[in-house]
């Protein structure tokens, strides 16, 4: 396995690059905007292809690198389903699994620092965001933070992992890099409480100043989405309402770009072909499955995904491959459902 812990000394943020092999797919956790050049360089040097970028929560202390990485690598951006970020390509919840080639992360909902805080477990290690820090815990005094929920997330979820599970947090302000669950249970001063009420009282006493970047970072991090309006202007997007009217039309080929797990959880559109986003470039090049089907049937490909990010990128990929007549459903299945469109089991 390839594992890199990267540090942004300005915000004290740790970011992580994971991959199963050189030459393969990679995922990054909690990238920082100012470090995106560095990540891209390292990805090139390690011969990795970034396919997913995850934020553990909506950060208040630095601007996320999610949007910039998506624009540069066409990776899928991921956050938890509670997030207030405008558009992320994929939203995950408790019990989901984020997979790339050769490795997968189990999704654990750990609210408390914020209401959109998640941890991600991969084999012997857990990425705890700002829920569990090394000898500390994330503050709970803003962004719908809640000390009671954080106690539950830590004591009833994270501390139930095996003692030797490695703990990789999103921040450290003292120079520590890694810990273990057993070590934190025994020596983390915030966790030596007798009850949830003691923990709540302890967190209420912290009275920390707001992060220096908070007024910049929070609004910026709520606008990480791909701007889909440009495609609409070019006539390459259908609103959910227009798309609903197209359902069943013989000249339209609906293509679902989401993963099998998203289809199983949220359903799909009747008659849609399944062609997951990671394979889209292969599918659209000469000889590719989608290109051949579109040519043979004369149908216009209409891509859709969860929120319209992957489908907008697929329209772009199609244009680059010389296929001008594709479109996507703006806002994805989410917008489709909100407009009252019917879904079938995926
Ligand atoms: N001095 C830092 C403080 C950042 C901060 O408050 N960090 C949050 C995480 S977003 C936290 O929970 N800190 C825990 C602590 O300081 O004990 C800054 O201005 O950026
Ligand atoms: Fe945070």
């Amino acid at each position: 396995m390839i594992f890199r812990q990267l540090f942004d000394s300005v915000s004290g943020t740790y970011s992580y690059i994971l991959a199963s092999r050189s030459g393969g797919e990679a995922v990054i956790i909690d990238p920082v905007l100012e470090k995106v050049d560095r990540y891209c360089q390292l990805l090139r040097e390690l011969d990795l292809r970034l396919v997913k970028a995850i934020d553990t929560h909506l950060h208040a202390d630095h601007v996320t690198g999610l949007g910039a990485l998506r624009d540069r690598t066409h990776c899928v951006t991921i956050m938890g389903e509670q997030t207030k970020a405008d558009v992320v390509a994929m939203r995950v919840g408790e019990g989901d699994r984020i997979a790339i080639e050769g490795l997968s992360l189990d999704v654990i909902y750990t609210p408390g620092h914020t209401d959109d805080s998640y941890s991600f477990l991969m084999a012997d290690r857990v990425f705890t965001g700002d829920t569990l820090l090394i000898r500390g815990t994330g503050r709970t005094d803003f962004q719908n933070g809640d000390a009671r929920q954080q106690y539950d997330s830590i004591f009833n979820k994270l501390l139930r992992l095996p003692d030797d599970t490695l703990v990789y947090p999103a921040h450290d302000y003292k120079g520590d890099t890694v810990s273990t669950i057993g070590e934190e249970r025994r020596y983390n001063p915030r966790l030596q409480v007798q009850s949830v009420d003691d923990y709540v009282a302890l967190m209420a006493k912290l009275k920390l100043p707001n992060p220096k970047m908070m007024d910049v970072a929070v609004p910026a991090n709520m606008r990480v989405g791909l701007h889909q309006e440009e495609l609409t202007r070019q006539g390459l997007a259908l609103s959910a309402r227009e798309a609903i009217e197209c359902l069943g039309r013989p000249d339209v080929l609906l293509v679902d770009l989401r993963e099998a797990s998203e289809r199983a959880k949220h359903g799909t559109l009747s008659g849609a072909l399944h062609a997951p986003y990671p394979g889209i470039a292969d599918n659209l090049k000469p000889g590719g499955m989608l290109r051949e089907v579109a040519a043979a049937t004369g149908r216009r490909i209409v891509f859709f995904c969860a929120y319209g990010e992957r489908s907008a990128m697929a329209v772009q990929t199609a244009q680059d491959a010389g296929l001008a007549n594709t479109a996507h459903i703006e806002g994805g299945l989410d917008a489709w459902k909100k407009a009252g469109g019917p879904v079938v089991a995926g």
Side-chain angles (χ1 to χ4, degrees):
M1 187 184 62
I2 295 172
F3 175 75
R4 288 287 186 281
Q5 182 179 40
L6 298 143
F7 188 57
D8 172 50
S9 56
V10 176
S11 59
T13 304
Y14 284 126
S15 309
Y16 302 92
I17 291 178
L18 312 171
S20 66
R21 65 175 180 97
S22 165
E25 294 183 351
V27 58
I28 191 164
I29 300 175
D30 286 332
V32 175
L33 179 62
E34 288 77 9
K35 296 283 170 184
V36 162
D37 281 344
R38 168 73 185 125
Y39 307 142
C40 289
Q41 181 192 12
L42 184 61
L43 288 161
R44 270 194 308 276
E45 289 165 354
L46 298 177
D47 191 20
L48 296 174
R49 196 160 52 87
L50 189 70
V51 294
K52 289 184 175 164
I54 309 171
D55 264 357
T56 51
H57 61 289
L58 197 136
H59 295 284
D61 61 328
H62 67 270
V63 178
T64 176
L66 241 52
L69 283 169
R70 184 257 339 276
D71 292 344
R72 286 173 61 163
T73 69
H74 292 174
C75 67
V76 172
T77 52
I78 304 178
M79 289 183 80
E81 59 198 10
Q82 292 78 4
T83 189
K84 292 181 183 62
D86 55 354
V87 187
V88 281
M90 194 186 281
R91 288 171 184 245
V92 291
E94 170 80 20
D96 285 348
R97 188 166 278 184
I98 299 171
I100 65 164
E101 175 203 357
L103 60 86
S104 76
L105 298 165
D106 289 322
V107 177
I108 311 172
Y109 182 40
T110 49
H113 171 57
T114 64
D115 60 355
D116 70 344
S117 285
Y118 277 80
S119 299
F120 301 98
L121 176 68
M122 189 191 70
D124 64 346
R125 60 200 66 196
V126 62
F127 301 93
T128 52
D130 293 348
T131 301
L132 178 59
L133 305 176
I134 299 172
R135 308 298 191 266
T137 55
R139 62 194 296 171
T140 52
D141 56 337
F142 54 58
Q143 292 180 289
N144 295 330
D146 183 327
R148 207 164 278 280
Q149 282 187 339
Q150 190 175 52
Y151 178 94
D152 185 57
S153 296
I154 294 174
F155 281 85
N156 295 325
K157 289 185 172 173
L158 297 176
L159 293 190
R160 294 202 175 163
L161 296 170
D163 268 12
D164 57 358
T165 307
L166 297 166
V167 172
Y168 285 105
H171 290 296
D172 192 88
Y173 305 107
K174 316 170 298 297
D176 289 313
T177 54
V178 60
S179 181
T180 65
I181 288 292
E183 213 179 299
E184 290 309 311
R185 179 189 300 103
R186 281 190 294 280
Y187 304 119
N188 187 322
R190 298 242 176 110
L191 306 186
Q192 310 312 310
V193 288
Q194 297 310 310
S195 68
V196 60
D197 290 330
D198 286 356
Y199 186 74
V200 171
L202 191 159
M203 294 306 282
K205 280 205 303 254
L206 291 180
K207 307 272 186 264
L208 297 166
N210 276 349
K212 291 185 289 295
M213 285 281 286
M214 185 153 170
D215 294 341
V216 174
V218 171
N221 290 337
M222 283 164 71
R223 286 195 306 269
V224 290
L226 183 78
H227 297 294
Q228 298 176 28
E229 311 85 47
E230 186 50 33
L231 290 180
T232 312
R233 262 197 297 280
Q234 294 172 29
L236 300 174
L238 302 177
S239 69
R241 213 172 284 275
E242 288 165 340
I244 290 167
E245 279 159 25
C246 286
L247 194 63
R249 258 175 50 181
D251 56 337
V252 164
L253 178 65
L254 286 170
V255 174
D256 186 350
L257 297 168
R258 296 168 306 150
E259 301 189 357
S261 57
E262 296 175 277
R263 287 159 54 87
K265 194 166 166 185
H266 302 288
T268 188
L269 303 187
S270 173
L273 215 67
H274 184 208
Y277 173 75
I280 197 64
D282 282 344
N283 259 321
L284 291 171
K285 68 186 183 200
M289 184 273 285
L290 279 179
R291 194 177 185 120
E292 295 300 308
V293 173
T297 61
R299 293 160 85 182
R300 183 186 197 193
I301 295 176
V302 175
F303 296 109
F304 70 94
C305 57
Y307 302 98
E309 282 239 331
R310 282 168 282 184
S311 55
M313 293 193 286
V315 170
Q316 199 55 60
T317 307
Q319 301 258 300
D320 296 347
L323 266 176
N325 191 31
T326 66
H328 85 127
I329 303 180
E330 200 176 346
L333 192 71
D334 179 57
W336 171 280
K337 283 187 182 174
K338 284 178 180 150
V343 295
V344 298

